[in-house]
Amino acid sequence: MDTGQSILAFTSGLVVLMTAAYILARRQAVATASTGVKMHSLPGQYGWYAVITAALPALGVAIAGAFLHLVGFPAPSGIIIVVAALAIAAGGLWYGLHTVRPSLRARAFIDNVVRRLLQAAALVSIFTTIGIVLSVLFESLRFFGEISFLDFITGTEWNPSAAFGGDTGMAPEFGAVPLFLGTAVISLIAMCVALPVGLFAAIYMAEYASAPVRAWAKPVLEVLAGIPTVVYGFFAALTVSPLVVVVAEFFGLDVEYTNALAPGLVMGIMITPYISSLSDDVLNAVPNKLREGAYALGTTRAETIKHIVLPAAFPGILAASLLGVSRALGETMIVVMAAGLRPNMTINPLEDLTTVTVQISDSLTGDLSFDSPATQSAFALGLVLFAVTLNFNLISNVMVRRFRQRYV
């Protein structure tokens, strides 16, 4: 029995036992209540109690067996684990039915289990984040054991191909400044598009648009957020980039077909729904009494928006903007298709360049050995990018907290 068949057999058997547990326990509770005995909980809650006593131990056994197989520890075969888990589920079903009685606090038992499950869900996200950070950190330390950290963050040449003999006679270069500069240039262009367009769109929908216009305009704008990034990449490479070339040549500027301006503009369009939608929600959350108080003092609608609504909504708008920045820093596909792969130490948006995420993707694909410096440089880049985004989040939290205290 292979893994897929084991999972199917376990799932099918467990569903049958859980269904039986619910039906039998509920029927038992209804029969007891029909004799005039007062039950502590509802019949359905006794059914769910029996379902939990049957399912949780079985799931624990199945997960433990899968974990042992995953880490390579000696463990029983799949069929033995499935049989053992279903046998334990049957035992749990019997225990659940045996303990259903009027004094049983099934409702409190269910609430306690739900609370534990929610805590476990929260811990999964926390432990996953810690695991990601540690995995990146350990691989980065191996890289920095061979390459100087100071040279990495201050070097202006990125040429890791020489590390595995790609460029004969050339020493490998791991200066990450061109990559972070390219990331900053494209992210800046994107935010120059997304921030004003998204904020103005949010102000219009929150303060000026009628209900019918808002009902169709906001969903249409949010459709942009659902378009795959590869489609944006095609749009940037096949439509926007040629248009940039034509316009630049019209003004006598020297421009390359793969340039930073086209992906930056398209990335800004992609980020606009994130900023507009969140900002719109924040603007609508501003209490109307603030607007009415301003109108009572004789201010116009534009003055009210400028001096009352926007300052009150600033923490939320700032958070939406930083979400857009994080989205821009992590984008890869649009840059690959329209900006090229050349690390270029320039701030000229009409030249080709690349970003950190693109280089990470490039380093982890192909035929390179995993323990080569060229491959491990991806983890070092990821670690530095993580530190940058973490600093952004910390700064935003400080600013949001400060302005929230002022206006709320």
Side-chain angles (χ1 to χ4, degrees):
M1 179 179 289
D2 59 20
T3 303
Q5 292 173 334
S6 299
I7 294 175
L8 179 61
F10 172 71
T11 305
S12 303
L14 187 61
V15 169
V16 171
L17 291 174
M18 290 169 60
T19 305
Y22 181 83
I23 294 174
L24 294 176
R26 187 179 184 280
R27 182 181 300 172
Q28 183 175 339
V30 171
T32 303
S34 64
T35 62
V37 177
K38 185 178 181 180
M39 306 290 287
H40 176 273
S41 305
L42 297 175
Q45 292 170 334
Y46 287 102
W48 285 112
Y49 165 79
V51 169
I52 293 172
T53 58
L56 277 187
L59 288 173
V61 171
I63 293 174
F67 178 76
L68 291 176
H69 278 284
L70 183 64
V71 299
F73 271 61
S77 63
I79 182 63
I80 294 178
I81 294 176
V82 170
V83 172
L86 293 180
I88 291 175
L93 189 156
W94 175 84
Y95 176 80
L97 295 177
H98 182 70
T99 54
V100 169
R101 56 176 62 96
S103 60
L104 176 65
R105 298 176 177 273
R107 182 176 55 196
F109 177 81
I110 295 172
D111 288 343
N112 189 39
V113 170
V114 170
R115 185 178 63 183
R116 299 297 182 189
L117 289 177
L118 295 177
Q119 289 177 343
L123 291 176
V124 166
S125 60
I126 294 173
F127 285 130
T128 302
T129 304
I130 294 174
I132 293 173
V133 172
L134 291 179
S135 63
V136 174
L137 179 62
F138 289 143
E139 296 297 334
S140 301
L141 291 178
R142 293 176 60 186
F143 172 77
F144 289 124
E146 300 182 28
I147 306 299
S148 168
F149 177 74
L150 185 61
D151 293 340
F152 178 75
I153 61 172
T154 60
T156 57
E157 294 291 337
W158 182 267
N159 183 22
S161 59
F164 58 98
D167 294 332
T168 304
M170 296 182 62
E173 300 283 353
F174 290 99
V177 173
L179 305 180
F180 285 98
L181 184 62
T183 303
V185 169
I186 293 183
S187 299
L188 180 63
I189 296 172
M191 293 309 299
C192 287
V193 175
L195 186 58
V197 175
L199 182 57
F200 291 164
I203 292 174
Y204 171 73
M205 286 189 290
E207 303 294 332
Y208 292 99
S210 61
V213 172
R214 175 183 167 83
W216 66 264
K218 187 173 182 180
V220 169
L221 185 59
E222 291 176 347
V223 166
L224 291 173
I227 298 176
T229 56
V230 66
V231 177
Y232 281 112
F234 280 125
F235 179 64
L238 302 179
T239 303
V240 179
S241 188
L243 183 62
V244 169
V245 171
V246 171
V247 174
E249 290 179 345
F250 176 80
F251 289 101
L253 299 175
D254 186 19
V255 60
E256 300 178 17
Y257 183 80
T258 53
N259 53 76
L261 185 58
L265 295 174
V266 175
M267 198 183 299
I269 296 172
M270 181 189 70
I271 296 172
T272 296
Y274 296 92
I275 296 178
S276 66
S277 181
L278 292 176
S279 299
D280 176 55
D281 294 337
V282 172
L283 292 173
N284 278 303
V286 175
N288 276 331
K289 61 182 181 181
L290 296 179
R291 299 181 178 84
E292 294 167 355
Y295 294 147
L297 295 175
T299 61
T300 64
R301 176 176 290 188
E303 291 171 338
T304 302
I305 294 172
K306 179 181 178 183
H307 297 290
I308 303 298
V309 177
L310 288 180
F314 182 76
I317 295 173
L318 178 62
S321 302
L322 290 174
L323 176 63
V325 173
S326 300
R327 188 74 179 82
L329 291 175
E331 177 52 37
T332 303
M333 187 57 68
I334 299 175
V335 183
V336 169
M337 301 180 70
L341 295 171
R342 184 169 71 100
N344 191 3
M345 189 70 181
T346 181
I347 58 173
N348 185 358
L350 299 181
E351 294 185 15
D352 64 327
L353 45 78
T354 191
T355 63
V356 172
T357 54
V358 172
Q359 190 57 46
I360 291 174
S361 174
D362 186 58
S363 299
L364 293 177
T365 56
D367 299 330
L368 296 177
S369 172
F370 186 79
D371 58 353
S372 67
T375 301
Q376 291 182 342
S377 65
F379 297 98
L381 291 171
L383 181 64
V384 177
L385 186 61
F386 172 78
V388 172
T389 54
L390 179 61
N391 285 326
F392 267 115
N393 290 332
L394 293 177
I395 294 172
S396 68
N397 287 334
V398 172
M399 295 183 67
V400 167
R401 194 177 303 117
R402 177 177 301 178
F403 283 95
R404 180 180 297 164
Q405 292 174 352
R406 179 180 302 178
Y407 291 105
V408 177

